[in-house]
């Protein structure tokens, strides 16, 4: 458990004495695309059909627009608050190379996100930049999601499978998805018809889960690892993109190693905590723009 108690205030709840929780680390570490920083430092996100706002004050975290029951039923797990990140970090900090990344992103937590949204989002992520990924997902939501008002602004929920199934390939293309449009169209259809069952895939062990997700068009090893790590609690996943490759080269390996070899090396080394190690490394590499000559 990484918090003590919760209290209510007029606009939501306050989580008291939270450890290992930094807004920038959580929301900017690459795992999510629908959280945006506000001018006052708070983050607003659209999750699970609602808009919520999160504020950090000393060691307390305020969540606006939810009640105690919603916290207990959903948000406590969404923010992975039952996990002891201090224990994970202590393990990693014994490794002087990983310690640097862990100290840098010390408030990272892996959010437990929704499998359909994450499948579509990470298909869109392939060969793409984060601002473009965010824009494409936002466009899909504007067109096929539901509008909700929060503090005078309109936000849009991520579309349901049935609503996105109504979109034509041309309409998906017009949201800025490029060559990924047909992968999204095809995946939505196969999920809609229940040919692919994400809840079943989630219930399988890590390696089966990884292979099953790769059966969808547009999902290779890297995208499969992101989906299983961020929405299926498969923590042996180790997505290797260009940043993680550079970080692993920088810290551990000789230059010119292939992506599959890096993945295998890291999964052997970090075992069922590989996904957490990957997140500290991705955030460190990207924020510090590390380069390998
Ligand atoms: O959290 C992430 N880990 C890894 N390894 N790759 C990621 C994450 N998030 C994310 O967007 N990516 C990919 O990195 C998507 C895209 O190919 C690139 C953007 O920097």
């Amino acid at each position: 458990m990484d918090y003590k108690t919760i209290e209510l205030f007029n606009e939501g709840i306050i989580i008291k004495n939270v450890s290992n929780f930094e807004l920038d680390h959580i929301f900017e570490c690459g795992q999510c695309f629908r959280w945006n920083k506000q001018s006052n430092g708070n983050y607003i996100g659209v999750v699970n059909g609602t808009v919520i706002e999160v504020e950090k004050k000393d060691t307390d975290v305020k969540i606006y627009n939810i009640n105690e029951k919603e916290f207990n039923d959903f948000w406590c797990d969404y923010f992975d608050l039952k996990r002891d990140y201090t224990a994970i970090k202590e393990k990693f900090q014994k490794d002087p190379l990983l310690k640097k990344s862990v100290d840098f992103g010390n408030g990272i937590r892996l959010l437990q996100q929704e499998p359909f949204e994450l499948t579509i989002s990470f298909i869109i992520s392939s060969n793409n930049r984060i601002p473009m990924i965010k824009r494409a997902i936002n466009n899909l939501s504007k067109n096929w999601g539901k509008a909700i008002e929060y503090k005078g602004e309109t936000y849009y929920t991520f579309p349901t499978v049935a609503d996105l199934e109504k979109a034509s390939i041309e309409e998906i293309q017009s949201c800025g998805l490029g060559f990924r449009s047909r992968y999204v169209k095809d995946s939505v259809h196969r999920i809609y018809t229940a040919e692919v069952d994400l809840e079943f895939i989630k219930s399988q062990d890590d390696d089966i889960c990884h292979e099953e997700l790769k059966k969808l068009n547009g999902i290779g090893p890297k995208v499969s690892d992101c989906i299983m790590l961020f929405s299926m609690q498969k923590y042996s996943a180790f997505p290797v993109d260009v940043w993680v490759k550079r970080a692993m080269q920088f810290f551990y390996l000789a230059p010119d190693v292939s992506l599959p070899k890096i993945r295998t090396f890291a999964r052997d080394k970090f075992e069922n905590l590989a996904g957490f190690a990957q997140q500290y490394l991705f955030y460190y590499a990207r924020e510090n723009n590390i380069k390998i000559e």
Side-chain angles (χ1 to χ4, degrees):
M1 280 287 257
D2 268 0
Y3 73 101
K4 281 236 170 62
T5 49
I6 68 164
E7 283 175 9
L8 309 181
F9 75 111
N10 53 350
E11 292 177 80
I13 65 143
I14 307 172
I15 319 170
K16 305 293 289 180
N17 298 94
V18 185
S19 33
N20 310 307
F21 195 117
E22 293 301 332
L23 300 181
D24 291 338
H25 300 178
I26 293 171
F27 298 124
E28 309 291 352
C29 75
Q31 63 181 325
C32 55
F33 302 111
R34 303 220 66 208
W35 283 95
N36 292 307
K37 191 169 187 165
Q38 310 300 303
S39 51
N40 62 4
N42 292 2
Y43 277 79
I44 293 185
V46 189
V47 179
N48 193 37
T50 52
V51 179
I52 70 159
E53 180 171 351
V54 184
E55 176 180 332
K56 175 101 193 275
K57 226 176 187 179
D58 305 318
T59 58
D60 293 346
V61 174
K62 279 173 118 168
I63 307 185
Y64 293 77
N65 215 17
I66 69 167
N67 62 36
E68 185 174 4
K69 182 172 181 338
E70 288 161 345
F71 174 79
N72 290 325
D73 290 350
F74 182 84
W75 297 98
C76 186
D77 283 329
Y78 177 82
F79 285 109
D80 204 24
L81 282 165
K82 291 174 192 155
R83 194 178 313 278
D84 175 4
Y85 278 75
T86 304
I88 296 176
K89 293 197 303 189
E90 275 171 4
K91 252 189 172 166
F92 287 164
Q93 280 161 336
K94 291 192 185 118
D95 175 343
L97 300 176
L98 191 52
K99 184 176 189 308
K100 219 171 160 176
S101 296
V102 171
D103 291 346
F104 181 78
N106 59 77
I108 286 178
R109 315 185 68 80
L110 290 185
L111 302 171
Q112 297 184 20
Q113 303 179 73
E114 200 282 312
F116 175 63
E117 175 174 338
L118 272 265
T119 300
I120 302 307
S121 299
F122 276 94
I123 290 175
I124 296 172
S125 84
S126 75
N127 285 311
N128 210 346
R129 291 172 40 247
I130 288 176
M132 303 300 289
I133 304 167
K134 286 178 95 163
R135 192 174 311 160
I137 295 170
N138 201 38
N139 287 339
L140 289 180
S141 304
K142 265 190 183 160
N143 282 295
W144 294 283
K146 187 166 67 75
I148 349 173
E149 299 291 320
Y150 177 71
K151 291 190 176 170
E153 300 270 340
T154 307
Y155 296 83
Y156 297 88
T157 61
F158 190 82
T160 62
V161 186
D163 285 337
L164 205 47
E165 170 71 6
K166 294 178 197 142
S168 71
I169 187 125
E170 292 77 19
E171 288 172 320
I172 294 175
Q173 224 144 17
S174 72
C175 292
L177 277 72
F179 70 91
R180 305 162 200 89
S181 306
R182 62 194 170 89
Y183 300 143
V184 167
K185 176 80 192 146
D186 183 61
S187 297
V188 169
H189 186 65
R190 289 165 69 185
I191 295 166
Y192 178 73
T193 58
E195 177 193 332
V196 171
D197 178 349
L198 295 175
E199 283 307 313
F200 174 77
I201 293 176
K202 181 177 172 178
S203 74
Q204 302 298 299
D205 77 23
D206 294 32
D207 289 337
I208 295 176
C209 182
H210 183 79
E211 292 308 315
E212 287 298 315
L213 286 168
K214 281 199 301 186
K215 290 181 182 167
L216 284 166
N217 287 324
I219 301 188
K222 146 81 203 316
V223 168
S224 178
D225 271 344
C226 285
I227 298 165
M228 64 195 264
L229 178 60
F230 302 138
S231 71
M232 299 181 175
Q233 291 88 60
K234 305 299 188 214
Y235 298 110
S236 75
F238 193 87
V240 188
D241 74 308
V242 59
W243 292 114
V244 171
K245 179 171 186 252
R246 284 183 197 166
M248 290 301 284
Q249 290 174 331
F250 191 74
F251 290 126
Y252 292 107
L253 302 160
D256 72 349
V257 180
S258 71
L259 301 189
K261 279 201 183 128
I262 294 176
R263 179 174 190 267
T264 307
F265 173 89
R267 292 184 83 219
D268 288 346
K269 185 171 176 59
F270 304 122
E271 299 175 329
N272 61 352
L273 297 178
F276 298 97
Q278 178 276 153
Q279 217 59 39
Y280 294 113
L281 291 165
F282 180 84
Y283 185 59
Y284 181 87
R286 192 164 167 266
E287 293 290 316
N288 294 289
N289 200 11
I290 64 165
K291 292 199 169 73
I292 309 293
E293 64 286 351

